Amino acid sequence: MAACQVAAQTITGIVTDGRQPLTGANVFVMGTIDGCLTDTLGRFSFTTARTGEVTLKVTYMGYDDHAMTADVAKMNGLAIVMRERATPIDEVVVTASSFNFGKGASCQTMDALDVVFTGSSCGDIVGALQTLPGTQKVGEDGKLYVRGGDSEECQTFVNRMHVLMPYSTNTENNAVRGRFSPFLFKGVNFSTGGYDGEYGQALSSILPMETTDMASSDKYGVSASLVDWNVGGTKTFDHGSLSANAALTSMQLYNRLFPDRNDYTRPYRKFSGEMQYKREFSTSSVMKTYAGYDLTSVGQVMEGRRLSLREHNIYANITTTKTFPKGGRLFLGAANSSVLSDIDDARVPGDHYHHFRNEVHLKAEAGKVLSRDWRMSVGVEDYLRNSRMRYDSLRCPMQYNILAAHTDAHWRITNQLFAHLSARAEMMKAHWLLMPRATLSYIPDKRLQLSLVAGRYSQAAADEYMMQGGNELRQATADHLILSLQYKTKGTLLRIEPYWKRYRNLPLWENGLYQPHGHGMSRGVDVFVENHTLVKGLSTIVSYSLNDSKRRYHDYDRMRTPEYVSRHNLRVTAKYAIGKTILSLTESYASSRCFPLADTPHYNSVDACVTQLVHPKVIVYASLSNILGRNNIFGYDSKGLPVTASYNRFLYIGIFVSLKNTKAYDISNF
């Protein structure tokens, strides 16, 4: 009997991505070991003993697998086009006009200790954010001014819930600080414009912060400096953890060592405490609660009166997030903000000013990942606000609410083109306002991202304007148009963003009342460059903003540039690590600001700081702001006298100690 022989079949072809050949693609017959890798031209050729119908499979990293079934005799000269694997829509991150700290994908990352040790921030989140493009240097109050908007136009959120008053208080022409400790937050996403439909009541920018997740171990830490003392820690339980932080800030010792220009009857003091409880009911259900309290007091002799200020600031929220199989998600949250201010000798000797503000914020949102290309969410929320202002015998009570709904849709048009469409509707005092928003992003690869952002945003006027306004005073609106380009390599990030904003319905003083007849515009460009490759151990940041703003609002009698706007803002930071020591030097420049009586000189400050790990559990940090001692003028008062900082230089020395861990002041969950 003769032996039966089967002739081997040859399979040939080329593999491309539709534009160029793919080198090293794996081509094989399923169920066998017959196959090969493509060469530098994408070609493949191999033999198989199989006959008849077979399945040929091609795999390549970053691309969807390709499979075809046919008679092996017909598998010659194949032209196989691979499709690039698409990132699921819920993993796509659009970075236009936002800086993600602690959890972002860009080069720019900032954890709690980075906030503490950034320039002359001295542990203040707001101070650290002022190194970014789009922000203005307004030294007389220290608040965030973004892209030509005043400080009220930037709103803060904790765990997606609104904070009515995010700053501590101080006397006039003295810089305030953000009231939140960086140690309690795992992520900060600072958006300078173009945010989605979930966030309202912010004309220019938002500062959403997320508290830490449930801790895995107990942690305790203390810190001390010439101006503040802190203690805190975390205690873990089964499926939960409790974190707390207490701080006392007092300028009494510092003022004795380094007297300033002010005449105090009582030095600035602030006692603050924060607490959060986190519980995981299951891997898909998480609850977070947060509470914070500040008591601030200061007394100062001002223009023949002995001003005395005291303020209580209370904030608390509770949120729960539930995820469901197949991409479903439900978020529920409630928050309460209460601020109680009392000022003696507020305007003239013997008077008394009292102001109580309260806000209850309720929010519910449901979302669903519909496919790899679609994600949608819908939500409703309510802001219930009341305010009581009393000045001697004059009383001004006020109460209103803002009911809102939003819907957001994220859509992958192609593997490289993404759209984010949202709409927000708000009702205040029976007036409805519809605000469409849209972002179109082109992301061809991991290095380049181009985005076009457009939308409308709204905000109710501050209490003092609403109390002195007619019934027609409604929400102000701002239209944003932003073009964003971001290019990122392994050690470098470049971002360029031109923008344009138009304001309508701003409060304007007319005929003895505030009317919604104010208007304005702001345009400019922000540039941000971060590099880690010039010299080993050296990181550099260049941040530049050009802003042209004009508006007519409040008591302005014409269109003009607001006092807080400087046309040019430049900040250059260099940070160098030598072993366990980090040295940092920052140069800050701002052009003049326009006041009715005169323009200010330009602002300039050179700040230096050093961080030293002296022990595995101990960090020593020192900073000196304005080391050249320049007398910067921030503005002019009603008498034409210059407004300057309390100190030409400010020295900060802090010691941070971990009491129970292996790392210095380990606050990743603290």
Side-chain angles (χ1 to χ4, degrees):
M1 180 179 295
C4 181
Q5 295 183 345
V6 177
Q9 300 287 333
T10 301
I11 300 177
T12 65
I14 185 172
V15 178
T16 71
D17 63 359
R19 300 183 302 274
Q20 58 187 5
L22 297 180
T23 302
N26 188 19
V27 186
F28 61 95
V29 176
M30 292 189 65
T32 74
I33 59 172
D34 301 332
C36 68
L37 299 177
T38 57
D39 62 17
T40 56
L41 298 178
R43 298 172 303 189
F44 64 89
S45 176
F46 65 91
T47 60
T48 179
R50 289 290 183 93
T51 59
E53 192 173 82
V54 298
T55 298
L56 184 72
K57 189 171 183 177
V58 184
T59 63
Y60 192 75
M61 183 176 295
Y63 290 78
D64 291 332
D65 294 347
H66 177 90
M68 61 175 294
T69 301
D71 192 290
V72 68
K74 299 179 179 180
M75 290 187 175
N76 282 293
L78 300 175
I80 298 173
V81 178
M82 302 289 285
R83 293 185 57 185
E84 189 173 358
R85 183 176 297 125
T87 303
I89 190 64
D90 57 331
E91 297 179 10
V92 175
V93 178
V94 176
T95 59
S97 280
S98 66
F99 290 86
N100 299 292
F101 299 151
K103 59 180 181 179
S106 69
C107 290
Q108 177 65 24
T109 58
M110 182 180 292
D111 61 21
L113 286 180
D114 289 324
V115 171
V116 174
F117 302 152
T118 294
S120 58
S121 67
C122 301
D124 183 19
I125 292 177
V126 173
L129 294 176
Q130 289 174 351
T131 63
L132 297 177
T135 61
Q136 300 275 327
K137 180 63 179 180
V138 185
E140 65 268 34
D141 69 12
K143 298 179 181 179
L144 279 173
Y145 292 75
V146 180
R147 288 182 172 174
D150 67 31
S151 61
E152 293 292 330
E153 297 176 22
C154 177
Q155 295 295 304
T156 301
F157 296 80
V158 172
N159 294 337
R160 304 170 64 181
M161 305 305 297
H162 185 244
V163 180
L164 183 63
M165 180 57 65
Y167 300 102
S168 61
T169 189
N170 208 335
T171 55
E172 186 178 1
N173 296 327
N174 280 285
V176 301
R177 291 169 58 88
R179 60 181 297 256
F180 297 105
S181 167
F183 299 138
L184 290 169
F185 296 91
K186 72 171 183 179
V188 177
N189 181 8
F190 180 46
S191 175
T192 54
Y195 27 97
D196 59 29
E198 176 187 356
Y199 293 105
Q201 292 304 295
L203 281 179
S204 286
S205 61
I206 58 171
L207 178 58
M209 300 187 292
E210 185 178 351
T211 57
T212 56
D213 293 327
M214 193 183 78
S216 58
S217 63
D218 295 349
K219 301 178 182 181
Y220 306 97
V222 296
S223 68
S225 75
L226 295 175
V227 297
D228 57 5
W229 299 264
N230 299 267
V231 60
T234 293
K235 178 66 177 176
T236 58
F237 311 98
D238 291 339
H239 308 294
S241 62
L242 177 67
S243 301
N245 186 62
L248 173 64
T249 302
S250 174
M251 296 301 297
Q252 183 172 5
L253 175 61
Y254 194 91
N255 288 343
R256 287 182 178 179
L257 296 174
F258 309 102
D260 70 358
R261 296 185 173 95
N262 297 321
D263 183 8
Y264 293 102
T265 60
R266 186 172 68 251
Y268 178 90
R269 292 190 183 96
K270 184 182 75 168
F271 171 76
S272 60
E274 296 171 280
M275 183 176 66
Q276 58 174 316
Y277 176 69
K278 297 147 284 187
R279 182 171 178 83
E280 293 183 356
F281 298 102
S282 66
T283 56
S284 61
S285 181
V286 178
M287 179 192 73
K288 289 185 177 183
T289 62
Y290 172 88
Y293 169 73
D294 286 359
L295 170 60
T296 307
S297 67
V298 62
Q300 183 178 338
V301 177
M302 300 182 67
E303 300 177 348
R305 54 195 169 92
R306 299 171 68 86
L307 181 144
S308 177
L309 183 152
R310 183 181 296 269
E311 181 177 277
H312 302 266
N313 193 333
I314 305 170
Y315 176 77
N317 70 33
I318 179 170
T319 62
T320 180
T321 303
K322 173 72 174 178
T323 57
F324 300 94
K326 300 183 179 180
R329 177 177 50 83
L330 176 65
F331 173 85
L332 300 173
N336 183 86
S337 298
S338 296
V339 184
L340 178 64
S341 303
D342 284 283
I343 306 176
D344 293 321
D345 284 15
R347 296 180 179 176
V348 296
D351 68 359
H352 180 75
Y353 171 84
H354 171 86
H355 192 187
F356 173 75
R357 288 161 288 175
N358 180 257
E359 176 189 82
V360 175
H361 182 207
L362 306 174
K363 178 185 284 189
E365 184 184 85
K368 182 76 166 65
V369 178
L370 303 175
S371 68
R372 293 177 64 88
D373 297 329
W374 278 96
R375 184 180 79 207
M376 294 195 68
S377 63
V378 294
V380 294
E381 61 184 329
D382 196 7
Y383 295 85
L384 298 97
R385 295 173 174 174
N386 71 81
S387 178
R388 297 192 300 272
M389 187 181 298
R390 184 176 72 248
Y391 182 69
D392 288 341
S393 60
L394 179 64
R395 286 171 169 77
C396 300
M398 181 180 64
Q399 185 173 349
Y400 66 96
N401 79 303
I402 303 172
L403 184 64
H406 76 271
T407 180
D408 285 87
H410 296 256
W411 174 32
R412 183 207 317 276
I413 303 173
T414 69
N415 283 352
Q416 300 172 335
L417 191 62
F418 305 86
H420 178 191
L421 308 174
S422 65
R424 182 179 178 88
E426 293 183 347
M427 184 182 71
M428 175 181 168
K429 296 182 178 180
H431 292 286
W432 279 98
L433 186 62
L434 180 63
M435 293 164 284
R437 304 170 186 179
T439 299
L440 184 66
S441 298
Y442 174 63
I443 310 176
D445 51 47
K446 295 181 179 180
R447 295 177 299 175
L448 180 64
Q449 187 171 137
L450 293 169
S451 296
L452 180 64
V453 184
R456 174 163 291 181
Y457 304 84
S458 69
Q459 189 170 355
D463 288 358
E464 55 266 34
Y465 304 119
M466 294 188 67
M467 290 178 177
Q468 301 180 65
N471 292 327
E472 294 184 358
L473 189 60
R474 54 186 182 271
Q475 296 198 76
T477 63
D479 297 323
H480 294 199
L481 182 63
I482 304 165
L483 178 63
S484 176
L485 180 151
Q486 177 174 293
Y487 183 78
K488 181 177 62 175
T489 62
K490 184 177 181 180
T492 303
L493 172 67
L494 168 65
R495 182 181 294 184
I496 303 173
E497 289 193 351
Y499 61 88
W500 174 85
K501 292 194 292 185
R502 179 175 60 182
Y503 292 92
R504 295 174 177 172
N505 301 326
L506 297 172
L508 178 66
W509 184 254
E510 290 182 325
N511 303 319
L513 290 173
Y514 281 105
Q515 303 285 351
H517 300 154
H519 55 94
M521 55 77 63
S522 179
R523 61 189 176 188
V525 61
D526 295 340
V527 179
F528 180 83
V529 182
E530 182 178 11
N531 183 273
H532 300 272
T533 62
L534 295 176
V535 177
K536 184 179 180 181
L538 177 68
S539 62
T540 58
I541 294 177
V542 178
S543 172
Y544 171 73
S545 299
L546 169 66
N547 179 260
D548 176 26
S549 297
K550 289 181 173 60
R551 59 172 64 188
R552 188 184 179 201
Y553 79 144
H554 295 177
D555 59 351
Y556 288 15
D557 58 359
R558 57 184 173 81
M559 282 282 287
R560 64 182 178 90
T561 301
E563 290 93 339
Y564 53 80
V565 170
S566 49
R567 185 175 180 85
H568 301 279
N569 287 269
L570 174 67
R571 300 173 187 91
V572 180
T573 300
K575 185 183 295 184
Y576 185 61
I578 309 174
K580 298 179 180 180
T581 303
I582 300 176
L583 306 174
S584 178
L585 191 68
T586 300
E587 158 67 19
S588 299
Y589 167 86
S591 58
S592 63
R593 290 160 54 188
C594 301
F595 285 78
L597 297 179
D599 293 350
T600 66
H602 71 272
Y603 171 89
N604 188 71
S605 178
V606 179
D607 308 326
C609 62
V610 57
T611 306
Q612 175 68 45
L613 182 64
V614 298
H615 183 273
K617 295 187 178 183
V618 180
I619 291 176
V620 175
Y621 167 80
S623 71
L624 179 62
S625 64
N626 194 20
I627 60 178
L628 300 180
R630 178 182 170 85
N631 185 23
N632 287 302
I633 297 175
F634 299 125
Y636 301 95
D637 62 18
S638 58
K639 297 180 180 179
L641 298 176
V643 175
T644 61
S646 299
Y647 310 88
N648 279 347
R649 300 181 180 90
F650 190 85
L651 174 66
Y652 182 91
I653 300 176
I655 301 175
F656 301 80
V657 182
S658 172
L659 300 178
K660 189 178 180 181
N661 217 302
T662 58
K663 297 180 181 178
Y665 207 50
D666 186 354
I667 42 68
S668 59
N669 288 292
F670 167 82

